[in-house]
């Protein structure tokens, strides 16, 4: 089935995104630090440091979500508790990022965000709580239910 490959792909994509987001924000922090320009009276060094810290934290968040997806792929079990919440939150983040990049960056970036959103939602839906006996109709063995009568002699 497609459950494990999707989980592996989601884990890889989230790790790549974690590195990309952290590297991009680190680079932007370096650029802001070297410009020595104030924005509405803000300290440029503080803006540079906050860009770097924000990038590292956002990258760590994506990496943590990637670890959850990696554990789902490794164990072949549904994420539970905090892991499920993290995957749902990363899906919401990608939906919001997709909405922002539509206007700021363009359609290709929007499509990239929607592909990742689709993969995360597919991961969550294919590993939905599964009961192996749910496909079989339950047998009603209560004493109040009459037994079926045979129709053939």
């Amino acid at each position: 089935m497609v459950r494990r490959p999707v989980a592996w792909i989601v884990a890889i994509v989230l790790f790549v995104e974690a590195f990309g987001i952290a590297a991009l924000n680190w680079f932007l922090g370096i650029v802001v630090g070297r410009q020595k320009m104030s924005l509405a009276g803000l300290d440029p060094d503080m803006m540079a440091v906050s860009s770097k810290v924000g990038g590292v934290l956002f990258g760590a968040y994506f990496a943590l979500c990637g670890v959850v997806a990696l554990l789902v792929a490794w164990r072949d079990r549904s994420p539970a508790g905090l892991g499920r919440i993290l995957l749902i939150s990363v899906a919401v983040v990608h939906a919001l990022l997709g909405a922002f990049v539509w206007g700021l960056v363009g359609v290709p970036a929007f499509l990239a965000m929607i592909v990742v959103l689709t993969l995360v939602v597919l991961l969550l839906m294919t590993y939905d709580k599964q009961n192996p006996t749910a496909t079989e109709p339950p047998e009603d063995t209560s004493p109040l239910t009459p037994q079926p009568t045979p129709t053939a002699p």
Side-chain angles (χ1 to χ4, degrees):
M1 192 144 170
V2 300
R3 294 184 316 179
R4 287 187 94 168
V6 167
W8 285 108
I9 291 170
V10 168
I12 291 168
V13 166
L14 287 175
F15 285 132
V16 168
E17 269 189 325
F19 177 75
I21 289 290
L24 176 69
N25 279 303
W26 195 270
F27 173 73
L28 290 176
I30 291 171
V31 169
V32 167
R34 287 185 181 170
Q35 284 183 346
K36 301 293 182 198
M37 294 171 54
S38 175
L39 178 67
L42 295 175
D43 182 23
D45 292 328
M46 184 59 69
M47 288 191 300
V49 169
S50 63
S51 175
K52 291 176 184 178
V53 169
V56 168
L57 290 177
F58 205 41
Y61 165 70
F62 276 150
L64 183 61
C65 294
V67 167
V68 170
L70 187 66
L71 289 175
V72 167
W74 185 262
R75 296 178 182 166
D76 198 22
R77 283 191 287 163
S78 174
L82 181 64
R84 189 166 187 83
I85 292 170
L86 279 172
L87 288 177
I88 291 170
S89 69
V90 82
V92 171
V93 165
H94 278 89
L96 291 173
L97 285 175
F100 287 129
V101 300
W102 174 276
L104 297 175
V105 181
V107 177
F110 167 76
L111 291 176
M113 290 295 113
I114 297 305
V115 165
V116 176
L117 169 67
T118 304
L119 286 171
V120 173
V121 170
L122 185 62
L123 170 67
L124 287 167
M125 296 303 290
T126 56
Y127 277 101
D128 202 10
K129 300 278 186 201
Q130 297 171 350
N131 188 357
T133 61
T135 56
E136 302 170 359
E139 291 185 24
D140 193 8
T141 58
S142 68
L144 300 176
T145 305
Q147 297 297 326
T149 57
T151 55

